[in-house]
mmCIF file of all heavy atoms in Angstrom:
data_model
loop_
_atom_site.group_PDB
_atom_site.id
_atom_site.type_symbol
_atom_site.label_atom_id
_atom_site.label_comp_id
_atom_site.label_asym_id
_atom_site.label_seq_id
_atom_site.Cartn_x
_atom_site.Cartn_y
_atom_site.Cartn_z
ATOM 1 N N GLU F 150 2.270 7.810 -59.877
ATOM 2 C CA GLU F 150 3.148 8.915 -60.195
ATOM 3 C C GLU F 150 2.429 10.270 -60.113
ATOM 4 O O GLU F 150 3.094 11.294 -59.862
ATOM 5 C CB GLU F 150 3.774 8.750 -61.580
ATOM 6 C CG GLU F 150 4.774 7.591 -61.642
ATOM 7 C CD GLU F 150 5.999 7.815 -60.729
ATOM 8 O OE1 GLU F 150 6.381 8.998 -60.522
ATOM 9 O OE2 GLU F 150 6.510 6.817 -60.209
ATOM 10 N N VAL F 151 1.127 10.311 -60.251
ATOM 11 C CA VAL F 151 0.384 11.535 -60.090
ATOM 12 C C VAL F 151 0.447 12.003 -58.665
ATOM 13 O O VAL F 151 0.711 13.181 -58.375
ATOM 14 C CB VAL F 151 -1.071 11.375 -60.586
ATOM 15 C CG1 VAL F 151 -1.890 12.613 -60.304
ATOM 16 C CG2 VAL F 151 -1.127 11.020 -62.038
ATOM 17 N N ARG F 152 0.196 11.098 -57.731
ATOM 18 C CA ARG F 152 0.265 11.471 -56.305
ATOM 19 C C ARG F 152 1.702 11.874 -55.926
ATOM 20 O O ARG F 152 1.897 12.849 -55.208
ATOM 21 C CB ARG F 152 -0.229 10.318 -55.409
ATOM 22 C CG ARG F 152 -1.728 10.159 -55.407
ATOM 23 C CD ARG F 152 -2.192 9.293 -54.282
ATOM 24 N NE ARG F 152 -1.780 7.894 -54.425
ATOM 25 C CZ ARG F 152 -2.570 6.883 -54.538
ATOM 26 N NH1 ARG F 152 -3.886 7.044 -54.587
ATOM 27 N NH2 ARG F 152 -2.146 5.636 -54.660
ATOM 28 N N LEU F 153 2.685 11.095 -56.353
ATOM 29 C CA LEU F 153 4.056 11.408 -56.023
ATOM 30 C C LEU F 153 4.482 12.770 -56.617
ATOM 31 O O LEU F 153 5.213 13.500 -55.939
ATOM 32 C CB LEU F 153 4.989 10.304 -56.518
ATOM 33 C CG LEU F 153 4.853 8.974 -55.800
ATOM 34 C CD1 LEU F 153 5.726 7.902 -56.500
ATOM 35 C CD2 LEU F 153 5.276 9.096 -54.330
ATOM 36 N N ALA F 154 4.053 13.064 -57.807
ATOM 37 C CA ALA F 154 4.360 14.352 -58.406
ATOM 38 C C ALA F 154 3.752 15.505 -57.622
ATOM 39 O O ALA F 154 4.355 16.570 -57.414
ATOM 40 C CB ALA F 154 3.911 14.403 -59.843
ATOM 41 N N ALA F 155 2.554 15.303 -57.115
ATOM 42 C CA ALA F 155 1.916 16.377 -56.297
ATOM 43 C C ALA F 155 2.660 16.556 -54.990
ATOM 44 O O ALA F 155 2.803 17.709 -54.547
ATOM 45 C CB ALA F 155 0.421 15.918 -56.001
ATOM 46 N N VAL F 156 3.151 15.473 -54.374
ATOM 47 C CA VAL F 156 3.975 15.608 -53.191
ATOM 48 C C VAL F 156 5.221 16.393 -53.466
ATOM 49 O O VAL F 156 5.585 17.323 -52.723
ATOM 50 C CB VAL F 156 4.297 14.194 -52.642
ATOM 51 C CG1 VAL F 156 5.336 14.316 -51.486
ATOM 52 C CG2 VAL F 156 3.063 13.521 -52.124
ATOM 53 N N GLU F 157 5.930 16.026 -54.534
ATOM 54 C CA GLU F 157 7.203 16.651 -54.884
ATOM 55 C C GLU F 157 7.009 18.134 -55.243
ATOM 56 O O GLU F 157 7.855 18.969 -54.843
ATOM 57 C CB GLU F 157 7.875 15.881 -56.009
ATOM 58 C CG GLU F 157 9.268 16.344 -56.305
ATOM 59 C CD GLU F 157 9.978 15.413 -57.280
ATOM 60 O OE1 GLU F 157 9.318 15.030 -58.264
ATOM 61 O OE2 GLU F 157 11.136 15.103 -57.110
ATOM 62 N N GLN F 158 5.946 18.429 -55.982
ATOM 63 C CA GLN F 158 5.790 19.816 -56.470
ATOM 64 C C GLN F 158 5.051 20.704 -55.489
ATOM 65 O O GLN F 158 5.269 21.928 -55.476
ATOM 66 C CB GLN F 158 5.003 19.758 -57.802
ATOM 67 C CG GLN F 158 5.786 19.034 -58.911
ATOM 68 C CD GLN F 158 4.901 18.699 -60.100
ATOM 69 O OE1 GLN F 158 3.807 19.239 -60.261
ATOM 70 N NE2 GLN F 158 5.439 17.796 -60.948
ATOM 71 N N GLN F 159 4.105 20.156 -54.714
ATOM 72 C CA GLN F 159 3.283 21.004 -53.831
ATOM 73 C C GLN F 159 3.755 20.906 -52.353
ATOM 74 O O GLN F 159 3.854 21.992 -51.716
ATOM 75 C CB GLN F 159 1.838 20.566 -53.921
ATOM 76 C CG GLN F 159 1.208 20.650 -55.315
ATOM 77 C CD GLN F 159 -0.160 20.067 -55.367
ATOM 78 O OE1 GLN F 159 -0.904 20.071 -54.369
ATOM 79 N NE2 GLN F 159 -0.517 19.506 -56.538
ATOM 80 N N LEU F 160 3.985 19.710 -51.841
ATOM 81 C CA LEU F 160 4.261 19.597 -50.421
ATOM 82 C C LEU F 160 5.721 19.852 -50.078
ATOM 83 O O LEU F 160 6.012 20.582 -49.084
ATOM 84 C CB LEU F 160 3.876 18.179 -49.940
ATOM 85 C CG LEU F 160 2.498 18.058 -49.358
ATOM 86 C CD1 LEU F 160 1.417 18.399 -50.408
ATOM 87 C CD2 LEU F 160 2.229 16.641 -48.830
ATOM 88 N N PHE F 161 6.661 19.296 -50.813
ATOM 89 C CA PHE F 161 8.064 19.416 -50.430
ATOM 90 C C PHE F 161 8.515 20.861 -50.367
ATOM 91 O O PHE F 161 9.211 21.247 -49.395
ATOM 92 C CB PHE F 161 8.955 18.601 -51.395
ATOM 93 C CG PHE F 161 8.916 17.102 -51.140
ATOM 94 C CD1 PHE F 161 9.582 16.247 -52.016
ATOM 95 C CD2 PHE F 161 8.319 16.600 -50.048
ATOM 96 C CE1 PHE F 161 9.599 14.879 -51.737
ATOM 97 C CE2 PHE F 161 8.327 15.220 -49.742
ATOM 98 C CZ PHE F 161 8.966 14.352 -50.640
ATOM 99 N N PRO F 162 8.205 21.724 -51.354
ATOM 100 C CA PRO F 162 8.656 23.105 -51.198
ATOM 101 C C PRO F 162 8.100 23.828 -49.984
ATOM 102 O O PRO F 162 8.810 24.557 -49.340
ATOM 103 C CB PRO F 162 8.140 23.774 -52.520
ATOM 104 C CG PRO F 162 8.000 22.634 -53.500
ATOM 105 C CD PRO F 162 7.555 21.469 -52.647
ATOM 106 N N SER F 163 6.846 23.566 -49.675
ATOM 107 C CA SER F 163 6.236 24.222 -48.500
ATOM 108 C C SER F 163 6.865 23.679 -47.205
ATOM 109 O O SER F 163 7.176 24.441 -46.291
ATOM 110 C CB SER F 163 4.732 23.952 -48.525
ATOM 111 O OG SER F 163 4.147 24.386 -47.318
ATOM 112 N N LEU F 164 7.054 22.350 -47.125
ATOM 113 C CA LEU F 164 7.711 21.802 -45.938
ATOM 114 C C LEU F 164 9.121 22.322 -45.781
ATOM 115 O O LEU F 164 9.576 22.597 -44.637
ATOM 116 C CB LEU F 164 7.672 20.264 -46.048
ATOM 117 C CG LEU F 164 6.305 19.597 -45.833
ATOM 118 C CD1 LEU F 164 6.348 18.200 -46.295
ATOM 119 C CD2 LEU F 164 5.919 19.634 -44.338
ATOM 120 N N HIS F 165 9.837 22.424 -46.876
ATOM 121 C CA HIS F 165 11.229 22.903 -46.802
ATOM 122 C C HIS F 165 11.318 24.323 -46.286
ATOM 123 O O HIS F 165 12.211 24.659 -45.533
ATOM 124 C CB HIS F 165 11.943 22.767 -48.177
ATOM 125 C CG HIS F 165 13.392 23.024 -48.073
ATOM 126 N ND1 HIS F 165 13.964 24.289 -48.362
ATOM 127 C CD2 HIS F 165 14.422 22.230 -47.749
ATOM 128 C CE1 HIS F 165 15.258 24.231 -48.211
ATOM 129 N NE2 HIS F 165 15.564 23.021 -47.848
ATOM 130 N N ARG F 166 10.356 25.164 -46.653
ATOM 131 C CA ARG F 166 10.328 26.529 -46.159
ATOM 132 C C ARG F 166 10.102 26.542 -44.672
ATOM 133 O O ARG F 166 10.701 27.369 -43.946
ATOM 134 C CB ARG F 166 9.267 27.330 -46.851
ATOM 135 C CG ARG F 166 9.616 27.701 -48.302
ATOM 136 C CD ARG F 166 8.684 28.772 -48.851
ATOM 137 N NE ARG F 166 7.296 28.304 -48.954
ATOM 138 C CZ ARG F 166 6.777 27.645 -50.013
ATOM 139 N NH1 ARG F 166 7.618 27.443 -51.075
ATOM 140 N NH2 ARG F 166 5.552 27.258 -50.023
ATOM 141 N N ARG F 167 9.195 25.651 -44.186
ATOM 142 C CA ARG F 167 8.880 25.658 -42.758
ATOM 143 C C ARG F 167 9.931 24.874 -41.919
ATOM 144 O O ARG F 167 10.154 25.256 -40.773
ATOM 145 C CB ARG F 167 7.522 25.006 -42.526
ATOM 146 C CG ARG F 167 6.353 25.876 -43.000
ATOM 147 C CD ARG F 167 5.025 25.110 -42.930
ATOM 148 N NE ARG F 167 4.907 24.199 -44.046
ATOM 149 C CZ ARG F 167 3.976 23.231 -44.090
ATOM 150 N NH1 ARG F 167 3.147 23.037 -43.066
ATOM 151 N NH2 ARG F 167 3.906 22.428 -45.152
ATOM 152 N N PHE F 168 10.524 23.871 -42.497
ATOM 153 C CA PHE F 168 11.445 22.994 -41.759
ATOM 154 C C PHE F 168 12.697 22.760 -42.643
ATOM 155 O O PHE F 168 12.906 21.693 -43.157
ATOM 156 C CB PHE F 168 10.775 21.681 -41.387
ATOM 157 C CG PHE F 168 9.473 21.813 -40.677
ATOM 158 C CD1 PHE F 168 8.271 21.651 -41.377
ATOM 159 C CD2 PHE F 168 9.436 22.193 -39.333
ATOM 160 C CE1 PHE F 168 7.041 21.829 -40.736
ATOM 161 C CE2 PHE F 168 8.206 22.357 -38.674
ATOM 162 C CZ PHE F 168 7.014 22.172 -39.387
ATOM 163 N N PRO F 169 13.568 23.761 -42.713
ATOM 164 C CA PRO F 169 14.723 23.685 -43.654
ATOM 165 C C PRO F 169 15.796 22.726 -43.218
ATOM 166 O O PRO F 169 16.680 22.387 -44.019
ATOM 167 C CB PRO F 169 15.246 25.119 -43.689
ATOM 168 C CG PRO F 169 14.816 25.737 -42.391
ATOM 169 C CD PRO F 169 13.485 25.076 -42.081
ATOM 170 N N ARG F 170 15.801 22.260 -41.970
ATOM 171 C CA ARG F 170 16.858 21.352 -41.503
ATOM 172 C C ARG F 170 16.746 19.951 -42.108
ATOM 173 O O ARG F 170 17.709 19.189 -42.200
ATOM 174 C CB ARG F 170 16.808 21.216 -39.974
ATOM 175 C CG ARG F 170 17.291 22.414 -39.205
ATOM 176 C CD ARG F 170 17.375 22.115 -37.705
ATOM 177 N NE ARG F 170 18.295 21.081 -37.407
ATOM 178 C CZ ARG F 170 17.946 19.877 -36.884
ATOM 179 N NH1 ARG F 170 16.702 19.595 -36.709
ATOM 180 N NH2 ARG F 170 18.873 18.967 -36.630
ATOM 181 N N ALA F 171 15.543 19.587 -42.548
ATOM 182 C CA ALA F 171 15.320 18.241 -43.067
ATOM 183 C C ALA F 171 15.513 18.237 -44.612
ATOM 184 O O ALA F 171 15.390 19.251 -45.257
ATOM 185 C CB ALA F 171 13.908 17.786 -42.772
ATOM 186 N N THR F 172 15.868 17.046 -45.103
ATOM 187 C CA THR F 172 15.914 16.839 -46.539
ATOM 188 C C THR F 172 14.694 16.003 -46.947
ATOM 189 O O THR F 172 14.177 15.213 -46.141
ATOM 190 C CB THR F 172 17.205 16.119 -46.996
ATOM 191 O OG1 THR F 172 17.286 14.835 -46.296
ATOM 192 C CG2 THR F 172 18.417 16.952 -46.623
ATOM 193 N N TYR F 173 14.275 16.159 -48.208
ATOM 194 C CA TYR F 173 13.005 15.554 -48.652
ATOM 195 C C TYR F 173 13.264 14.832 -49.961
ATOM 196 O O TYR F 173 13.927 15.326 -50.850
ATOM 197 C CB TYR F 173 11.939 16.664 -48.855
ATOM 198 C CG TYR F 173 11.651 17.463 -47.615
ATOM 199 C CD1 TYR F 173 12.447 18.587 -47.323
ATOM 200 C CD2 TYR F 173 10.695 17.116 -46.686
ATOM 201 C CE1 TYR F 173 12.252 19.357 -46.210
ATOM 202 C CE2 TYR F 173 10.476 17.852 -45.564
ATOM 203 C CZ TYR F 173 11.280 18.983 -45.328
ATOM 204 O OH TYR F 173 11.059 19.714 -44.166
ATOM 205 N N ALA F 174 12.724 13.598 -50.039
ATOM 206 C CA ALA F 174 12.921 12.805 -51.283
ATOM 207 C C ALA F 174 11.762 11.843 -51.464
ATOM 208 O O ALA F 174 11.078 11.470 -50.515
ATOM 209 C CB ALA F 174 14.238 12.008 -51.143
ATOM 210 N N LEU F 175 11.573 11.435 -52.710
ATOM 211 C CA LEU F 175 10.652 10.350 -53.052
ATOM 212 C C LEU F 175 11.411 9.037 -53.015
ATOM 213 O O LEU F 175 12.502 8.958 -53.516
ATOM 214 C CB LEU F 175 10.015 10.547 -54.432
ATOM 215 C CG LEU F 175 9.185 11.823 -54.608
ATOM 216 C CD1 LEU F 175 8.707 11.904 -56.064
ATOM 217 C CD2 LEU F 175 8.032 11.893 -53.643
ATOM 218 N N ASP F 176 10.806 8.006 -52.397
ATOM 219 C CA ASP F 176 11.440 6.698 -52.313
ATOM 220 C C ASP F 176 10.561 5.726 -53.092
ATOM 221 O O ASP F 176 9.631 5.148 -52.559
ATOM 222 C CB ASP F 176 11.564 6.286 -50.845
ATOM 223 C CG ASP F 176 12.227 4.915 -50.695
ATOM 224 O OD1 ASP F 176 12.713 4.360 -51.742
ATOM 225 O OD2 ASP F 176 12.305 4.374 -49.577
ATOM 226 N N ARG F 177 10.912 5.497 -54.309
ATOM 227 C CA ARG F 177 10.142 4.588 -55.150
ATOM 228 C C ARG F 177 10.536 3.139 -54.961
ATOM 229 O O ARG F 177 9.843 2.218 -55.470
ATOM 230 C CB ARG F 177 10.312 4.976 -56.647
ATOM 231 C CG ARG F 177 9.689 6.319 -57.020
ATOM 232 C CD ARG F 177 9.864 6.611 -58.468
ATOM 233 N NE ARG F 177 9.165 7.832 -58.919
ATOM 234 C CZ ARG F 177 9.620 9.053 -58.793
ATOM 235 N NH1 ARG F 177 10.835 9.259 -58.260
ATOM 236 N NH2 ARG F 177 8.906 10.101 -59.216
ATOM 237 N N ALA F 178 11.587 2.899 -54.211
ATOM 238 C CA ALA F 178 12.097 1.494 -53.993
ATOM 239 C C ALA F 178 11.686 0.943 -52.679
ATOM 240 O O ALA F 178 12.059 -0.163 -52.303
ATOM 241 C CB ALA F 178 13.602 1.474 -54.134
ATOM 242 N N ARG F 179 10.889 1.679 -51.884
ATOM 243 C CA ARG F 179 10.498 1.229 -50.563
ATOM 244 C C ARG F 179 9.777 -0.156 -50.626
ATOM 245 O O ARG F 179 8.929 -0.354 -51.495
ATOM 246 C CB ARG F 179 9.627 2.245 -49.864
ATOM 247 C CG ARG F 179 8.939 1.760 -48.612
ATOM 248 C CD ARG F 179 8.225 2.863 -47.850
ATOM 249 N NE ARG F 179 7.345 2.302 -46.815
ATOM 250 C CZ ARG F 179 6.862 2.996 -45.807
ATOM 251 N NH1 ARG F 179 7.162 4.268 -45.666
ATOM 252 N NH2 ARG F 179 6.087 2.393 -44.905
ATOM 253 N N THR F 180 10.087 -1.032 -49.666
ATOM 254 C CA THR F 180 9.415 -2.321 -49.568
ATOM 255 C C THR F 180 8.743 -2.505 -48.188
ATOM 256 O O THR F 180 7.843 -3.308 -48.042
ATOM 257 C CB THR F 180 10.404 -3.452 -49.794
ATOM 258 O OG1 THR F 180 11.484 -3.383 -48.840
ATOM 259 C CG2 THR F 180 10.951 -3.411 -51.208
ATOM 260 N N HIS F 181 9.180 -1.736 -47.180
ATOM 261 C CA HIS F 181 8.667 -1.937 -45.851
ATOM 262 C C HIS F 181 7.238 -1.450 -45.692
ATOM 263 O O HIS F 181 6.876 -0.332 -46.074
ATOM 264 C CB HIS F 181 9.549 -1.104 -44.831
ATOM 265 C CG HIS F 181 9.092 -1.151 -43.436
ATOM 266 N ND1 HIS F 181 8.420 -0.113 -42.823
ATOM 267 C CD2 HIS F 181 9.133 -2.152 -42.488
ATOM 268 C CE1 HIS F 181 8.111 -0.457 -41.588
ATOM 269 N NE2 HIS F 181 8.515 -1.673 -41.383
#
Side-chain angles (χ1 to χ4, degrees):
E150 290 299 327
V151 174
R152 284 194 294 242
L153 291 173
V156 171
E157 189 172 40
Q158 296 166 15
Q159 301 173 30
L160 267 61
F161 282 174
S163 172
L164 287 165
H165 188 265
R166 285 193 296 271
R167 288 173 283 166
F168 308 102
R170 288 186 63 247
T172 59
Y173 304 86
L175 299 179
D176 181 6
R177 293 181 173 85
R179 169 173 167 161
T180 58
H181 176 257

